[in-house]
Amino acid sequence: MRPGFTSLLSALASVLLLCGCSRPWPAYRYNGERGAHQRYHSRLSDPDDVTKLAVGWAWPSSGSEGGFFKSSPVVFEDRVFIGSSRGFFYALDEKNGNKLWQFPDSGPALLGSCFFGQYGVQSSAARARIGGQEAVIFGAPDPAAEMGLGSARLFALNVDTGKQIWASDVVAHINGCTAGNLMELHERVAYSAPLVERDRVYIGVHDSGDDPIQNGKVIAVDLATGKKVPGFSYVSTSTRGGGVWNAPASDGKGVYFTTGNTRDWNGGVQPQPALNNGLSLLRVNPATGAVVWKFQPVPFPLDFDPDWSAGAALMDSSCGDLAESVQKDGWTYAVDANTGSCKWQYPPTNEPACTFPIPAGCPPSCPMVHNDTDYKQPGAVWGDVLVIKGGGWGLILPYPAGVPAGYSRLHALNSCRADAQRVRWIIDVPHATPGDGYSIGAPTVTGGIVYVPTDQGHVVAIADPSVRPAAGFQCTFEFINPASTGPTWAAVCLALGFQLAPTPRVLADVALPDGANASGLRNEAALANGRLFVGTSGGHVYALWPK
Amino acid sequence: MRRRLLLVSIVIVVLLAAWIGYRFANREAFVAQGALAAPPDQVTFAGPTPDHPLKLEAGNILSRTVYRTSVASNAEVEVRDVMLPPHAKSRLQALTGPALLDTYSGEGTLSLGERTERLAAGQMRSVPAGQALDFDNPGAYPLVLRFYVFEGK
């Protein structure tokens, strides 16, 4: 055999083998559909291996980064990319956690001088290809922008060198530092993450603690240059409100996101704006930003600040294209992604329209059911199953009961089943503080194994009962249990119209060494190349894998 | 000729091995199809037991006292939640004092003697003491009520 031919064969075999080995996590929630599903098999999708999950490396290996990680890692090109509240963005070696570069490498950190602009890099990143360069894009305040108060840009960096490819036009403006000042702009991109779709990058704009509430926006910039796309415009209201507190999603046909409240600002209740896209799940035209549809289940008079904060997770299900999310009040929705009509609601208290009626006498006397509560984390999509922190049936009980009870609970919901079969399983996540609205992060999934970080500094792996038998059962209304209703709890559960749901088995419950909060507001465990990556508020990034 | 045949065989074997390796490395993780099996007749409880429990009463009614306090030397206020089963008529024993009834979730009717009134979420009304309360919940989900009972000593 001629040497050239042998080399050719070897090269061909190598290419075929190598191109099958990279399993990146290239964006927040995995990709633009925001389903948080690693579809490829790895040791993290093997239930036997997952029981051996352990911390592999930590960065920094001693001390701490000094800030906290409220953004989530993205992983590609053998690197882990993550930003910190100190205003730096890092590239770490995926294999050993060594720092490869940071941005900025010199000069001031990405922080504004004003309180509203001091959030650093909380926006998780996304992979892109710009002019032949492999790039990573994230949003942050730019101390060089405008007056240096914290107006924000998107930054595109070369993944190999960390050198800036472009800094976008300003996408969120801060032009004053006075709390409550209605003459100033206090816009941020902290809780959004860039969506790279075709030749554009989209980012959501929200405010800083409603101080005061800003008009929600989605901004589109050109992927090649970072310049704002002139033909694209989306604002939530004709006055204020409707902040976009989440990462836009895309299925290639539309851009999907959710919006915050509109009713309470300037110290009290305001009249409904003529344009009110607040408290909605929306699809907009990716070219123009025009609203294609909006789904607004809580009408304006019932708006007691139940921001729709969790973003949309898009599901290509066996019953059609769905956009799914949970509103801050705890109700979970699946909406037809093409029409915006409600497919189901959980708990299904107002189907089929899924909108809450305005009671007689309201206003002025309106029930405060839809409040500033803490269901804010987006769900994970696994086949037809949505795994999400949702309120469940406890929401039908008045305070103090149902709403906080679900804060550390995950529901797996069958998206294409009837209401009576909606719940696939329920679990109260261990090492997550009950009643704490920030006790668990956003779930991610691979092979039916759900990973979730907790406020007590753990990473918990949960097996769908099709992967490992359930630990037992519970009533879908958690207040029916042996302690409250005796040994006939299962019969009582069914008699009251609820269902029996499996409690899935916990495969691993790993304590992170710094013991710090790993759930942030919506932090996720990135699942790439058979490893799990997570940041904590203790200023560490950890890699875990089965050992 | 034999040499060429050998060469082709080697190429095929190498490509086959590479393809198998590629497919193995690219195999997708498990995704369940369809729902889980129905629960067995006898199930083991493995759920939470939350605070503020409800207690079971006759007729599959669930209730709890949320709060009870003296508001004066001769009066008490009790805040009580009641959950009435779906597709059923339920009777509550007479209250110990006049009360405000807040329909928190669900829909149904309340009959007091000859009068029947519709209940809808978000509505509040008064109910008298000393009279049994007859509810009808024709819906698919429980009717949840909160009573604020004012009781004289």
Side-chain angles (χ1 to χ4, degrees):
Chain A
M1 201 182 302
R2 278 172 283 182
F5 191 70
T6 311
S7 304
L8 182 68
L9 278 180
S10 303
L12 182 62
S14 302
V15 166
L16 281 168
L17 284 168
L18 285 174
C19 71
C21 292
S22 178
R23 296 289 166 254
W25 189 270
Y28 181 60
R29 313 306 288 155
Y30 182 69
N31 63 13
E33 295 180 0
R34 309 295 188 194
H37 175 210
Q38 175 56 266
R39 63 187 287 202
Y40 290 103
H41 176 78
S42 76
R43 297 185 73 194
L44 295 180
S45 61
D46 182 325
D48 291 327
D49 273 348
V50 171
T51 58
K52 304 167 201 158
L53 192 67
V55 174
W57 57 250
W59 181 80
S61 54
S62 63
S64 142
E65 190 270 345
F68 40 82
F69 291 105
K70 283 198 169 179
S71 67
S72 296
V74 300
V75 186
F76 59 95
E77 295 287 310
D78 303 322
R79 289 162 164 78
V80 179
F81 301 95
I82 191 167
S84 96
S85 64
R86 287 179 61 226
F88 292 99
F89 186 81
Y90 300 99
L92 311 177
D93 188 322
E94 181 195 320
K95 296 288 181 293
N96 52 31
N98 290 340
K99 188 174 81 175
L100 300 173
W101 51 257
Q102 71 174 48
F103 180 88
D105 57 354
S106 62
L110 300 176
L111 296 166
S113 60
C114 170
F115 167 76
F116 303 117
Q118 290 179 349
Y119 53 91
V121 188
Q122 295 192 26
S123 164
S124 302
R127 179 184 198 170
R129 192 150 185 91
I130 303 172
Q133 295 184 73
E134 197 69 35
V136 61
I137 299 176
F138 64 95
D142 180 1
E146 299 180 329
M147 294 174 283
L149 302 178
S151 293
R153 301 182 194 274
L154 294 171
F155 295 88
L157 310 180
N158 180 294
V159 299
D160 293 324
T161 63
K163 299 301 178 196
Q164 182 177 301
I165 300 171
W166 49 248
S168 76
D169 291 342
V170 170
V171 293
H173 298 271
I174 295 177
N175 60 13
C177 305
T178 311
N181 189 320
L182 294 172
M183 304 301 290
E184 299 175 354
L185 290 170
H186 297 166
E187 297 174 340
R188 302 199 307 171
V189 295
Y191 297 167
S192 191
L195 166 70
V196 179
E197 183 65 29
R198 298 202 173 101
D199 58 350
R200 295 181 176 188
V201 188
Y202 303 86
I203 187 89
V205 176
H206 57 86
D207 62 62
S208 174
D210 286 359
D211 198 7
I213 198 166
Q214 308 289 302
N215 202 359
K217 296 174 185 169
V218 172
I219 306 292
V221 305
D222 185 278
L223 177 61
T225 64
K227 298 291 181 194
K228 275 189 187 175
V229 175
F232 183 93
S233 173
Y234 169 81
V235 292
S236 287
T237 74
S238 48
T239 55
R240 286 172 179 270
V244 180
W245 299 84
N246 51 90
S250 172
D251 56 3
K253 296 180 286 187
V255 173
Y256 304 79
F257 53 90
T258 60
T259 56
N261 64 305
T262 58
R263 186 165 168 263
D264 282 292
W265 49 273
N266 198 22
V269 171
Q270 303 298 323
Q272 181 164 204
L275 171 65
N276 179 16
N277 293 330
L279 298 187
S280 299
L281 169 59
L282 297 104
R283 170 175 167 170
V284 301
N285 183 313
T288 65
V291 174
V292 177
W293 54 253
K294 74 174 174 187
F295 171 66
Q296 193 178 49
V298 176
F300 186 78
L302 303 183
D303 173 359
F304 289 92
D305 195 10
D307 290 322
W308 205 328
S309 175
L314 304 181
M315 177 185 282
D316 177 16
S317 78
S318 63
C319 55
D321 297 333
L322 303 176
E324 302 184 320
S325 187
V326 64
Q327 195 163 350
K328 214 160 76 175
D329 59 12
W331 268 269
T332 303
Y333 299 92
V335 171
D336 185 317
N338 295 308
T339 65
S341 63
C342 183
K343 295 282 277 192
W344 53 260
Q345 174 192 44
Y346 187 77
T349 52
N350 296 81
E351 290 183 345
C354 307
T355 54
F356 291 87
I358 302 171
C362 166
S365 177
C366 300
M368 290 181 64
V369 176
H370 308 282
N371 301 317
D372 181 16
T373 48
D374 290 329
Y375 293 94
K376 300 174 177 174
Q377 291 79 4
V381 169
W382 181 59
D384 285 352
V385 179
L386 174 71
V387 180
I388 198 161
K389 170 184 155 181
W393 276 110
L395 296 177
I396 68 171
L397 282 184
Y399 184 86
V403 174
Y407 283 160
S408 58
R409 184 170 301 151
L410 286 175
H411 282 77
L413 303 172
N414 293 310
S415 292
C416 295
R417 296 277 159 172
D419 284 342
Q421 298 170 300
R422 181 73 60 224
V423 178
R424 185 177 180 88
W425 50 257
I426 306 174
I427 189 168
D428 281 42
V429 177
H431 290 107
T433 306
D436 185 325
Y438 299 87
S439 58
I440 57 175
T444 54
V445 63
T446 183
I449 299 172
V450 175
Y451 294 88
V452 62
T454 77
D455 66 331
Q456 296 178 17
H458 283 237
V459 172
V460 179
I462 299 156
D464 182 89
S466 63
V467 174
R468 281 289 178 271
F473 287 82
Q474 61 184 288
C475 182
T476 52
F477 181 62
E478 67 270 25
F479 291 86
I480 297 175
N481 55 60
S484 70
T485 54
T488 60
W489 67 273
V492 174
C493 174
L494 297 172
L496 268 80
F498 303 111
Q499 288 81 47
L500 299 176
T503 306
R505 199 169 290 278
V506 172
L507 294 179
D509 182 357
V510 180
L512 300 173
D514 70 3
N517 188 335
S519 63
L521 179 58
R522 49 177 63 71
N523 282 26
E524 68 181 15
L527 312 176
N529 302 324
R531 295 182 174 197
L532 180 155
F533 303 90
V534 67
T536 75
S537 62
H540 290 98
V541 180
Y542 293 105
L544 290 76
W545 61 85
K547 288 188 168 177
Chain B
M1 185 64 188
R2 285 183 61 188
R3 187 182 170 86
R4 178 167 291 180
L5 200 61
L6 182 66
L7 203 61
V8 169
S9 303
I10 290 170
V11 168
I12 290 170
V13 167
V14 168
L15 286 176
L16 195 63
W19 176 245
I20 290 169
Y22 175 79
R23 291 300 300 264
F24 183 77
N26 275 288
R27 70 190 194 277
E28 296 195 357
F30 170 69
V31 177
Q33 304 294 327
L36 297 167
D41 291 339
Q42 297 294 319
V43 294
T44 304
F45 181 76
T49 50
D51 296 335
H52 316 291
L54 295 159
K55 290 294 177 192
L56 184 63
E57 298 178 6
N60 281 332
I61 295 170
L62 295 172
S63 75
R64 65 178 176 186
T65 295
V66 179
Y67 189 67
R68 187 181 181 91
T69 188
S70 295
V71 292
S73 60
N74 60 350
E76 284 194 336
V77 171
E78 180 189 11
V79 180
R80 185 176 170 215
D81 291 339
V82 176
M83 176 182 278
L84 305 173
H87 307 300
K89 297 179 188 297
S90 303
R91 167 166 283 198
L92 290 185
Q93 295 307 308
L95 300 171
T96 51
L100 286 174
L101 167 57
D102 180 3
T103 306
Y104 191 78
S105 57
E107 287 187 333
T109 60
L110 166 62
S111 297
L112 282 164
E114 298 293 306
R115 287 179 54 199
T116 298
E117 291 187 20
R118 186 172 170 273
L119 302 174
Q123 292 179 346
M124 194 173 275
R125 55 153 297 153
S126 61
V127 287
Q131 195 173 354
L133 307 175
D134 290 307
F135 294 92
D136 185 7
N137 177 11
Y141 308 112
L143 175 61
V144 179
L145 310 169
R146 172 164 280 187
F147 290 92
Y148 300 86
V149 185
F150 303 89
E151 184 181 345
K153 285 182 180 172

